[in-house]
Each structure stands twice: as C-alpha cells, then as structure tokens.
Amino acid sequence: MQLDKIDIRIVKRAVKNPGAHQREIYRPLLDERSEYFLHKRIKCLEICGFLKLRKNTGTVQCWATQKAIRHISKIKTEGDLLE
C-alpha cells in the first residue's frame, strides 16, 4: 500500500502519541476531510498493518506498528518531510 499525505499525517500522529484516542489522532485533519472519511482511513491503515487499534467500551486507542515506524523513517531519510 502506498500512503498518501493524509495517511502519512495520521501515522505520524500515532507515532508521536502512542495509545491516543482515535479522535485525537485525526482531530487536526477535520478541516480537510469528514470524520467518516478519516475513520475509514484509520480502519484501512489497521487492516494494512500500519496501526494497531484497541477497542474498549467508548474508546478506540491507536498505536503505530513497527511497519509504520520503518515506513515513516524511510520517508524522513528520503527528504520528504510532510507535516
């Protein structure tokens, strides 16, 4: 899977804030996309192995996997620093 800019921003926030609530991960992106779209992107990233989600009653916590951390570090070494 090739990550687009929004996916990279979601994964970077998950790396910076391990165990954060799902809404905290995508909150800064709500100006650009709908909540439904961002929720589906997080589910897709989980299926592809970039995020690990733990679902409790009323909360969904997100962690970046090692695959995601390696992918982000490759992007940084290539010089493509997306914020």
Side-chain angles (χ1 to χ4, degrees):
M1 175 183 174
Q2 276 295 354
L3 299 180
D4 63 0
K5 291 180 180 181
I6 289 186
D7 294 334
I8 291 170
R9 290 171 66 187
I10 289 171
V11 171
K12 279 186 175 184
R13 288 193 46 88
V15 169
K16 290 180 184 177
N17 304 316
H21 191 278
Q22 175 180 343
R23 287 189 183 133
E24 291 298 319
I25 298 293
Y26 65 70
R27 182 169 292 169
L29 303 172
L30 285 174
D31 294 338
E32 300 171 31
R33 296 291 188 155
S34 70
E35 186 171 353
Y36 178 77
F37 174 82
L38 295 169
H39 174 73
K40 290 297 180 185
R41 293 308 300 176
I42 286 179
K43 296 296 283 181
C44 180
L45 289 169
E46 177 192 22
I47 292 168
C48 294
F50 287 98
L51 293 179
K52 178 183 171 192
L53 301 179
R54 183 188 311 164
K55 299 168 186 160
N56 295 324
T57 307
T59 63
V60 179
Q61 294 176 299
C62 297
W63 283 272
T65 62
Q66 288 300 316
K67 178 180 178 180
I69 294 169
R70 283 193 309 269
H71 191 77
I72 294 297
S73 68
K74 286 180 187 177
I75 291 172
K76 286 182 182 179
T77 58
E78 292 172 359
D80 184 17
L81 296 174
L82 299 172
E83 290 299 321

